[in-house]
Amino acid sequence: MSRILLVRHGQASFGAADYDDLSPTGHEQSRVLGAALAARGVRADMVVAGEMRRHGQTAADVLEGAGWASDVEVDAGWNEFDHLQVLSVHDSPSTVDGESEKAAFQRWFEEATLRWTSGEHDDAYDESFAAFTARVAAAMDRLVAALPPRGTAVVLSSGGPVAWVAAALLADSSPARTDLWLRLNPVSVNTGTSTVVRGSRGTTLVSFNAHDHLSPDLLTYR
């Protein structure tokens, strides 16, 4: 069997002027993951990253932590969806008494994401949800085609693409996949790792969002 490890990037700089930049915690999470993979005897035959800055930074830190000397192949198919645009075309909800700023943002994000995934407002977005999922599926197909038999690939991406691969492998219909994606995406841990294997029975998800390499003080979702 060949194996694919899908990794969500380390913690980005939420609330900063440039979100697409790992925080100090994000750098540490990534190095810790690399060290944990190496300690388990994982050897990467392929390392692939999305083209976002946080993907490249995570890849570099994982390689450093693992002590791997490997080239990183960049594939924009593993990029995250444009959450800023998804938010910008959806009015922020009314304030609820006693609601924290964090809770209000989460509610806004969930409502905006539901609107995007509905497919009823595709003209409002540069990339519709259907286009996003097709892009991720194509990136996964390219990876599977390039991976040698019994090889291991490590992919540094974002929560959205990783959750879609998981949903697509677990659910049979498009509505069921979308519903599952909406449930999986918000719980993705920074440097959480999902494992996909490919063998005689096809491509199978065997774990999602594993994060046992992280100590409690390094566990983050943003």
Side-chain angles (χ1 to χ4, degrees), residues 99-111:
E99 187 176 40
S100 68
E101 182 179 350
K102 179 180 178 181
F105 176 85
Q106 186 62 35
R107 187 159 56 88
W108 179 26
F109 184 83
E110 289 174 359
E111 291 179 8

Side-chain angles (χ1 to χ4, degrees), residues 24 26-36 58 60-62 64-66 191:
H27 283 290
E28 182 64 13
Q29 290 167 333
S30 304
R31 288 188 290 266
V32 167
L33 173 60
T58 302
D61 289 336
V62 167
E64 177 186 338
T191 67

Side-chain angles (χ1 to χ4, degrees), residues 126-179:
D126 293 336
E127 182 178 52
S128 67
F129 182 66
F132 163 72
T133 59
R135 166 169 65 79
V136 174
M140 186 65 176
D141 287 344
R142 287 192 294 272
L143 180 68
V144 169
L147 185 61
R150 295 181 296 279
T152 296
V154 177
V155 181
L156 296 314
S157 182
S158 288
V162 173
W164 180 254
V165 171
L169 290 173
L170 291 174
D172 294 329
S173 69
S174 181
R177 289 172 177 174
T178 299
D179 181 67

